[in-house]
Amino acid sequence: MMEWLADPSIWASLLTLTLMEIVLGIDNIVFISVLVARLPENQAKRARQIGLALALVFRILLLLVLAWIIGLTAPLFSIFGHDVSWRDIILIAGGLFLFYKATHEIHQEIEGEGHDTGSGVSAGMTAVIIQIAIIDMVFSIDSIITAIGMAEHVWIMITAVVIAIGVMYIFSGTIADFIAAHPTTKMLALSFLILIGVTLVADGAGFHIPKGYVYFAMAFSTGVEAINILVSSRRKKKGAVSK
């Protein structure tokens, strides 16, 4: 173990994998932030904590069953010359789930449908946690398969995952609060979920879309929205001063 700690390649592998896990976790943070936005503040914080804890548990458990994970990429059958594996099926199912969830949320936002309160809050939190668990499994499988290809030692993968989840936990609250405070950013986040769903379905169908393109589009749109929010905030301040 001490020999590994003195090996620069080990540290380089850990740093690279940690950064990769953080980047791949952006999808998860967006999804969790959108889901908890409708919950009361105390419920939202707890649901977010449980969601990230589930993500950590899923990733570590999957790392401990590497043989099974590798087996998920083995072809089950072929369609039009494309070998379909369990990983492909899970990615397609996860992408379709994101389609449904994002479309449903957009419908509720635009139509302005009411939501249950009181006893419905507990049920709502349970539903949110279940949905987080479902999508966590999808993101975990893709994330761990990436980790397997980037590192040789399981302890490096687990360390990288723990650090990445810690970073996600630190920033998830800020992102969730920002989305809740700015309705337009929620619509943007929902559009991101549809985009992520497209990449999952495409990847499962054998059409790989480089994540760099997806993240660039998300970063560009976020930058534009940040400018819009800044301009709107300045206009409100000027209006308040003139009154």
Side-chain angles (χ1 to χ4, degrees), residues 32-133:
I32 292 175
S33 299
V34 169
L35 283 184
V36 302
R38 294 190 179 279
L39 295 175
E41 185 176 350
N42 61 327
Q43 297 277 353
K45 182 178 180 180
R46 187 174 179 185
R48 189 168 60 250
Q49 292 173 338
I50 293 174
L52 290 173
L54 287 173
L56 178 60
V57 170
F58 284 141
R59 281 164 171 76
I60 292 178
L61 288 178
L62 291 175
L63 280 171
L64 296 177
V65 287
L66 293 180
W68 179 72
I69 290 295
I70 294 173
L72 287 177
T73 60
L76 294 174
F77 53 88
S78 296
I79 298 180
F80 302 115
H82 171 61
D83 293 330
V84 179
S85 65
W86 276 114
R87 172 184 175 274
D88 296 331
I89 294 174
I90 292 172
L91 290 180
I92 292 174
L96 293 177
F97 176 75
L98 287 181
F99 285 161
Y100 163 76
K101 186 59 187 176
T103 302
H104 179 67
E105 288 289 329
I106 290 174
H107 174 76
Q108 289 186 326
E109 285 292 321
I110 295 177
E111 295 295 328
E113 295 178 357
H115 300 276
D116 294 335
T117 57
S119 62
V121 170
S122 178
M125 180 177 175
T126 301
V128 165
I129 292 174
I130 291 174
Q131 292 176 67
I132 290 174

Side-chain angles (χ1 to χ4, degrees), residues 97-236:
F97 176 75
L98 287 181
F99 285 161
Y100 163 76
K101 186 59 187 176
T103 302
H104 179 67
E105 288 289 329
I106 290 174
H107 174 76
Q108 289 186 326
E109 285 292 321
I110 295 177
E111 295 295 328
E113 295 178 357
H115 300 276
D116 294 335
T117 57
S119 62
V121 170
S122 178
M125 180 177 175
T126 301
V128 165
I129 292 174
I130 291 174
Q131 292 176 67
I132 290 174
I134 291 173
I135 210 64
D136 270 345
M137 287 188 285
V138 175
F139 288 145
S140 293
I141 289 174
D142 211 25
S143 174
I144 296 308
I145 289 176
T146 300
I148 294 173
M150 293 183 64
E152 297 179 359
H153 306 291
V154 175
W155 73 267
I156 293 180
M157 301 179 198
I158 293 178
T159 302
V161 165
V162 171
I163 295 174
I165 294 294
V167 172
M168 289 166 60
Y169 177 78
I170 292 173
F171 290 101
S172 64
T174 302
I175 294 175
D177 293 341
F178 187 80
I179 290 177
H182 300 86
T184 55
T185 61
K186 182 173 182 179
M187 297 300 293
L188 184 62
L190 289 171
S191 69
F192 288 166
L193 291 184
I194 294 177
L195 180 60
I196 294 167
V198 169
T199 62
L200 290 177
V201 172
D203 199 3
F207 301 97
H208 179 66
I209 301 175
K211 285 291 184 72
Y213 295 139
V214 176
Y215 291 141
F216 174 78
M218 292 171 64
F220 181 80
S221 299
T222 301
V224 172
E225 181 60 20
I227 293 174
N228 287 334
I229 291 174
L230 181 61
V231 171
S232 177
S233 177
R234 288 183 176 179
R235 285 177 179 173
K236 289 180 180 179

